């Protein structure tokens, strides 16, 4: 207690039941340290590294100090999540928003650690493989599936709220990726593709026409002009594909709020782009992903959906 452990290297140290009350742990390396039932009351953990530490102390350290520690989001626990939950509540009450998100990430990632669950499944398989099928416990398999789902749906997308801006960046990457897919559809022979739907006046009547978007034939030119003409043609195709991909990504509407219609108002002409065949299926899949990611961004940025 009260020890001066400035910049001490305590990597992997076994500190269970240790009395560290009032200890000065400024800058100490506590990565992967065992802190089960340790007394951290009054301890200063400013700039300490807690990556992978088993955080189950008997008493919590000084909030201002641990609020400036590193690796909060990588802390874990064995069986008792109480200390981490209490620490998150203290961060929330004190207005430490980033630290609060880090603890939320640590708690949820522990519960949905697919690799850890897979290890427990493999260990249990050895004990149940010889038992009758009707007596086998399927809960580990369900836990693994649930953990894998949470890892894909919440960890990779927003880090359980730790990275609230990541869903929007994923939407941007998907926009470019699907734009390339739609450009391929425009080159691919067949009816599947993107259609230009416009209305024009013909013989005193307004007629609606749908024309499939195809790359134009490159006109005859000198050999050194062909690459530039080809790039110009492909740029027009990619531009149309990017605009359609943007419309598919923001094909979100609720009553009078319709982002897709607002995007179409930015164009000089009155027209619409429609997908047919497999391109329509791809467009629907992109819309579902975009709606999910945008909703996840809103909930993570403005709320606390994972607490």
């Amino acid at each position: 207690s009260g020890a001066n452990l400035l910049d001490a290297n305590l990597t992997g140290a076994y500190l269970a039941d240790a009395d560290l009350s009032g200890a000065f742990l400024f800058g100490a390396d506590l990565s992967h340290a065992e802190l089960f039932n340790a007394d951290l009351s009054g301890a200063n953990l400013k700039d300490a590294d807690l990556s992978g530490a088993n955080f189950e102390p008997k008493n919590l350290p000084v909030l201002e100090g641990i609020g400036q520690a590193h690796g909060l989001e990588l802390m874990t626990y064995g069986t008792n999540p109480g200390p981490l939950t209490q620490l998150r509540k203290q961060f929330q009450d004190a207005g430490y928003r980033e630290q609060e998100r880090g603890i939320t990430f640590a708690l949820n990632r522990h519960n949905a650690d697919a690799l850890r669950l897979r290890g427990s499944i493999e260990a249990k398989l050895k004990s149940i493989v010889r038992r009758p099928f009707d007596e086998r416990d399927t809960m580990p398999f369900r836990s693994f599936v649930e953990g894998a789902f949470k890892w894909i749906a919440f960890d990779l997308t927003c880090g359980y709220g730790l990275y609230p801006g990541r869903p929007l960046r994923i939407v941007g990457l998907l926009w470019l990726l699907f734009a390339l897919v739609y450009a391929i559809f425009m080159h691919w022979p067949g009816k599947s593709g993107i259609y230009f739907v416009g209305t024009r006046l013909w013989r005193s009547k307004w007629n609606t026409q749908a024309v499939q978007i195809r790359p134009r034939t490159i006109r005859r030119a000198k050999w050194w002009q062909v690459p530039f003409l080809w790039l110009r043609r492909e740029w027009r195709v990619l531009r149309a594909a990017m605009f359609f991909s943007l419309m598919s990504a923001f094909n979100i509407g609720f009553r009078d709020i319709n982002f897709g219609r607002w995007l179409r108002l930015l164009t000089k002409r009155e027209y619409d782009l429609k997908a047919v065949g497999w391109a329509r299926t791809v467009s629907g899949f992109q819309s579902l992903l975009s709606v999910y990611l945008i909703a996840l961004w809103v909930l993570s940025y403005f709320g606390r959906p994972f607490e």
Side-chain angles (χ1 to χ4, degrees):
S1 59
N4 183 1
L5 298 171
L6 173 68
D7 294 328
N9 184 6
L10 298 171
T11 304
Y14 187 80
L15 299 172
D17 299 316
D19 183 4
L20 296 170
S21 57
F24 188 75
L25 293 161
F26 188 98
D29 188 352
L30 289 164
S31 56
H32 302 284
E34 174 63 59
L35 296 173
F36 176 77
N37 204 37
D39 187 358
L40 297 178
S41 57
N44 191 343
L45 294 171
K46 182 178 180 181
D47 288 333
D49 187 1
L50 294 169
S51 303
N54 185 28
F55 195 81
E56 295 180 81
K58 179 168 58 176
N59 298 306
L60 296 178
V62 177
L63 186 66
E64 292 76 9
I66 195 173
Q68 301 180 54
H70 306 290
L72 295 178
E73 69 280 3
L74 300 178
M75 291 192 301
T76 185
Y77 64 91
T79 58
N80 181 21
L84 281 175
T85 304
Q86 295 174 12
L87 183 61
R88 180 177 63 181
K89 184 65 169 60
Q90 291 186 11
F91 280 143
Q92 181 179 345
D93 295 339
Y96 287 77
R97 186 71 173 120
E98 293 298 325
Q99 291 81 353
E100 176 193 348
R101 288 173 173 169
I103 301 300
T104 299
F105 176 81
L107 288 167
N108 284 278
R109 196 176 196 186
H110 178 276
N111 295 333
D113 190 349
L115 295 178
R116 179 179 57 84
L117 292 171
R118 185 179 68 180
S120 66
I121 291 173
E122 293 174 351
K124 196 162 187 176
L125 278 175
K126 297 179 181 179
S127 64
I128 67 175
V129 70
R130 297 181 180 178
R131 294 167 55 187
F133 182 79
D134 54 350
E135 296 180 4
R136 295 178 184 178
D137 185 8
T138 60
M139 286 303 295
F141 299 96
R142 297 177 185 176
S143 299
F144 173 74
V145 172
E146 181 182 0
F149 169 76
K150 289 182 178 180
W151 177 68
I152 295 173
F154 305 127
D155 193 342
L156 294 180
T157 53
C158 67
Y160 299 101
L162 181 61
Y163 312 110
R166 183 187 288 177
L168 287 183
R169 291 193 292 269
I170 297 177
V171 170
L173 291 176
L174 290 177
W175 165 57
L176 296 176
L177 176 63
F178 279 98
L180 294 176
V181 175
Y182 297 136
I184 294 174
F185 273 115
M186 294 177 186
H187 285 82
W188 202 265
K191 295 183 178 181
S192 295
I194 313 301
Y195 285 73
F196 177 91
V197 181
T199 303
R200 68 172 184 171
L201 185 63
W202 175 256
R203 293 182 179 179
S204 302
K205 292 183 180 180
W206 289 99
N207 298 320
T208 301
Q209 294 182 339
V211 180
Q212 189 174 10
I213 300 178
R214 290 292 188 185
R216 294 181 179 180
T217 303
I218 299 177
R219 61 181 176 83
R220 287 190 175 183
K222 296 181 179 180
W223 65 269
W224 58 270
Q225 292 179 329
V226 173
F228 298 99
L229 294 175
W230 182 85
L231 288 174
R232 182 181 179 185
R233 185 192 70 174
E234 295 303 316
W235 165 244
R236 288 179 175 178
V237 171
L238 184 60
R239 184 176 60 185
M242 292 173 65
F243 184 69
F244 180 77
S245 180
L246 189 65
M247 290 176 55
S248 298
F250 289 93
N251 191 19
I252 306 170
F254 179 74
R255 295 185 179 180
D256 295 333
I257 301 176
N258 191 319
F259 293 100
R261 180 170 60 86
W262 294 347
L263 287 174
R264 289 193 292 272
L265 291 176
L266 297 176
T267 60
K268 296 179 180 179
R269 299 172 58 187
E270 181 69 25
Y271 70 91
D272 196 6
L273 297 177
K274 298 291 185 181
V276 176
W278 284 107
R280 180 180 176 87
T281 303
V282 174
S283 176
F285 182 67
Q286 182 189 6
S287 297
L288 289 175
L289 283 178
S290 300
V291 168
Y292 169 72
L293 291 170
I294 292 174
L296 193 62
W297 167 72
V298 172
L299 292 174
S300 301
Y301 192 83
F302 297 101
R304 295 179 173 89
F306 301 103
E307 294 185 6

